[in-house]
């Protein structure tokens, strides 16, 4: 499969502090790829680099054929951002808008569709995530799981080939988490969508991830970085790294 994302030697510093350095990985088209690790390891920082909100201190990132770093990075980021969808933690819905209006918003901003067309597309997206019946509800009237699904629907509004999801299962009960996992796999299988998830939810990682990258804030004496890459089941069963083994087996590191 071709690469939807390639990151090479990505580094992030804030002042004298290096969050991580030399992070390198690729994501294939149609993959569910997970960025994982303990608290404070730089998962959200890496996500912000990938979606173009935070230029890395060093390294290169190419997404869907667009180089988003370096001298021409600004143009690459603008082009890339029209081709990806992002669901932030908690769904990040606008509280003064109905679910339908939330999903219509990207269509209003980036397309010339008439109002009827925008509404029709938004209703289809809500239907894909099982919220066709809830279009008229406000965010305050729905559950956390519904808010996550509505956030995914909005991220899908422009039919992006690549979706970034930030902690899609965090704070949800096990059944709702499993429903979100199934939704992701269904969208990948039915639409061919590539997913990049940031999560530390072990059950979801093992259920849906094709491959993952694990960051650790103590990867180097002076910085965080990558300590493992591969299939989650292989990392769980075959790793010799104590930190990786402890994470996948829910043990306290020795």
């Amino acid at each position: 499969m071709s690469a939807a994302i390639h990151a090479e030697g990505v580094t992030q510093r804030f002042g004298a502090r290096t969050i991580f350095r030399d992070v390198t990985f690729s994501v294939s088209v149609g993959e569910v790829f997970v960025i994982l690790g303990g608290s404070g390891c730089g998962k959200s920082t890496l996500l912000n680099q990938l979606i173009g909100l935070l230029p890395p201190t060093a390294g290169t990132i190419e997404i869907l054929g667009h180089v988003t770093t370096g001298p021409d990075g600004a143009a690459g980021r603008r082009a890339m951002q029209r081709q990806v969808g992002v669901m932030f933690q908690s769904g990040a819905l606008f509280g003064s808008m109905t679910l339908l209006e939330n999903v219509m918003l990207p269509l209003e901003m980036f397309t010339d569709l008439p109002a009827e067309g925008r509404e029709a597309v938004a209703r289809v997206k809500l239907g894909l995530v099982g919220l066709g019946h809830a279009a008229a509800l406000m965010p305050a009237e729905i559950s956390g799981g519904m808010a996550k699904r509505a956030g995914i629907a909005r991220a899908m509004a422009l039919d992006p080939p690549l979706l970034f999801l930030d902690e899609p299962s965090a704070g949800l009960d096990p059944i709702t988490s499993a429903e979100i996992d199934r939704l992701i796999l269904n969208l990948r299988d039915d639409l061919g969508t590539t997913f990049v998830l940031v999560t530390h939810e072990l059950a979801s990682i093992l259920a849906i991830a094709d491959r993952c990258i694990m960051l650790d804030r103590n990867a180097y004496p002076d910085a965080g970085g990558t300590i493992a890459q591969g299939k989650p089941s292989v990392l769980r069963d075959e790793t010799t790294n104590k930190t990786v083994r402890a994470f996948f087996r829910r043990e306290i590191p020795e």
Side-chain angles (χ1 to χ4, degrees):
M1 290 185 290
S2 58
I5 299 174
H6 182 69
E8 183 77 32
V10 175
T11 297
Q12 188 62 53
R13 300 187 187 93
F14 295 115
R17 182 187 175 203
T18 301
I19 305 301
F20 52 71
R21 62 180 172 88
D22 296 330
V23 173
T24 297
F25 65 94
S26 292
V27 179
S28 297
V29 171
E31 242 188 340
V32 177
F33 186 87
V34 174
I35 301 168
L36 58 92
S39 299
C41 68
K43 299 188 299 296
S44 294
T45 298
L46 180 58
L47 176 67
N48 286 335
Q49 291 176 334
L50 294 174
I51 64 178
L53 295 181
L54 179 66
T57 306
T60 60
I61 298 174
E62 182 175 341
I63 299 180
L64 300 175
H66 304 291
V67 177
T68 62
T69 53
D72 299 320
R77 288 191 295 274
R78 286 194 297 271
M80 174 273 294
Q81 287 169 343
R82 293 292 300 271
Q83 295 180 268
V84 305
V86 183
M87 188 215 77
F88 295 100
Q89 285 192 47
S90 77
L93 302 175
F94 291 96
S96 60
M97 298 180 176
T98 65
L99 299 192
L100 182 66
E101 291 168 339
N102 266 279
V103 179
M104 288 175 61
L105 187 59
L107 298 163
E108 294 173 1
M109 296 176 63
F110 296 112
T111 76
D112 295 323
L113 287 173
E116 314 87 71
R118 295 195 301 269
E119 180 175 337
V121 171
R123 289 188 182 278
V124 168
K125 303 307 180 187
L126 285 169
L128 285 173
V129 300
L131 292 177
H133 65 288
L137 296 181
M138 305 296 287
E141 299 176 304
I142 63 176
S143 67
M146 293 174 70
K148 301 263 189 179
R149 284 188 279 157
I152 294 173
R154 186 175 61 188
M156 294 169 52
L158 299 174
D159 293 319
L162 174 59
L163 285 179
F164 294 95
L165 308 182
D166 190 6
E167 299 285 4
S169 299
L172 301 180
D173 65 82
I175 293 176
T176 305
S177 294
E179 291 174 346
I180 296 292
D181 292 343
R182 183 171 58 186
L183 170 63
I184 291 168
L185 292 178
N186 287 344
L187 293 173
R188 188 273 308 273
D189 295 340
D190 295 344
L191 303 178
T193 307
T194 303
F195 283 90
V196 175
L197 283 70
V198 170
T199 185
H200 60 269
E201 299 289 336
L202 186 56
S204 291
I205 294 166
L206 293 171
I208 67 174
D210 294 305
R211 289 188 306 118
C212 60
I213 182 172
M214 185 169 181
L215 305 180
D216 185 74
R217 58 184 178 184
N218 298 312
Y220 301 100
D222 60 340
T226 305
I227 59 171
Q229 291 194 53
K231 295 183 177 180
S233 59
V234 173
L235 297 182
R236 178 193 61 193
D237 298 335
E238 301 179 15
T239 184
T240 58
N241 183 292
K242 294 180 180 180
T243 301
V244 177
R245 183 173 64 246
F247 182 92
F248 278 97
R249 298 182 183 181
R250 299 187 71 226
E251 299 173 346
I252 299 173
E254 298 177 2

